[in-house]
Amino acid sequence: MFAFLVTLILFSSCKDTVSETAKVEESSWEIMTDSLPEKSRVDSRAQVILDNWKAYTVLERSFDKIYSTEFREDFVLIVDELVENQKKLETEEYPIEFDIPQIKGRQKVFKTYVLKTKGDLEYRQNPKESILQMITAFNDLRNQFNVVVKNTLPEELRANEKN
């Protein structure tokens, strides 16, 4: 009888600890996602080009889901989606204006931080730093779009830039 009572107490105490840990993890995740930096704005001229680039539009929609994530498990799914959409973006044809090494380089940096974030999530590391790096890389990509459309160099100099 005594052994049964001890076993019952042991099982009930373990259950409470697990649920408390889950609640703490969920609330800390909400706090972290609330403090994420905003997505940078894109110039209207660049936005016109981006609106016609289907693969980028899909990637951007996936990226926007980061800001509405409430649970870690949802974020893991979003990062997986970002990985897939990043692969599609790499293989699809770029708009002529953005088919330059500067854009492709920024995209590779973004891909690196998406994969780093995925690794942190898979290995149960604190992903906050890699998430911030991923957002910064995405904003750098968006800022590079702005630089390209605001470039006032003559066409012959820009042609040399591609080499």
Side-chain angles (χ1 to χ4, degrees):
M1 179 69 173
F2 180 72
F4 177 72
L5 184 60
V6 170
T7 307
L8 182 64
I9 291 172
L10 183 62
F11 281 127
S12 66
S13 66
C14 290
K15 182 180 176 186
D16 292 339
T17 305
V18 171
S19 65
E20 287 176 18
T21 304
K23 287 179 186 175
V24 169
E25 187 174 309
E26 287 173 11
S27 65
S28 66
W29 184 258
E30 286 181 37
I31 291 169
M32 189 189 76
T33 56
D34 289 342
S35 65
L36 294 176
E38 291 184 20
K39 187 171 76 168
S40 65
R41 298 185 51 82
V42 174
D43 186 86
S44 60
R45 292 174 287 176
Q47 191 61 52
V48 169
I49 298 167
L50 293 173
D51 287 342
N52 294 319
W53 190 7
K54 183 181 176 190
Y56 177 80
T57 305
V58 170
L59 178 72
E60 187 176 25
R61 275 193 225 124
S62 296
F63 185 83
D64 289 342
K65 293 177 186 177
I66 290 171
Y67 295 99
S68 61
T69 305
E70 294 181 15
F71 303 105
R72 181 184 182 99
E73 293 77 19
D74 295 337
F75 191 78
V76 169
L77 294 174
I78 291 169
V79 170
D80 287 341
E81 185 178 325
L82 281 171
V83 169
E84 292 304 313
N85 290 334
Q86 169 65 28
K87 287 178 185 176
K88 290 176 186 172
L89 183 64
E90 280 181 323
T91 59
E92 190 174 289
E93 189 174 322
Y94 288 69
I96 295 169
E97 299 86 352
F98 297 147
D99 194 9
I100 57 175
Q102 294 88 338
I103 297 293
K104 291 180 179 183
R106 297 282 184 193
Q107 183 183 342
K108 285 191 187 298
V109 172
F110 173 66
K111 176 184 177 180
T112 300
Y113 287 116
V114 169
L115 294 174
K116 181 179 179 188
T117 302
K118 181 178 178 165
D120 286 350
L121 291 167
E122 284 181 5
Y123 293 110
R124 292 284 186 189
Q125 302 294 317
N126 183 357
K128 184 171 184 167
E129 183 181 336
S130 59
I131 291 169
L132 293 175
Q133 291 169 332
M134 178 181 67
I135 292 171
T136 300
F138 190 75
N139 283 336
D140 290 345
L141 174 64
R142 291 174 62 83
N143 288 333
Q144 190 65 44
F145 293 140
N146 292 337
V147 168
V148 169
V149 296
K150 291 179 181 178
N151 191 349
T152 58
L153 288 174
E155 186 60 41
E156 60 271 0
L157 290 177
R158 279 190 263 168
N160 288 336
E161 189 177 287
K162 290 182 181 179
N163 296 329

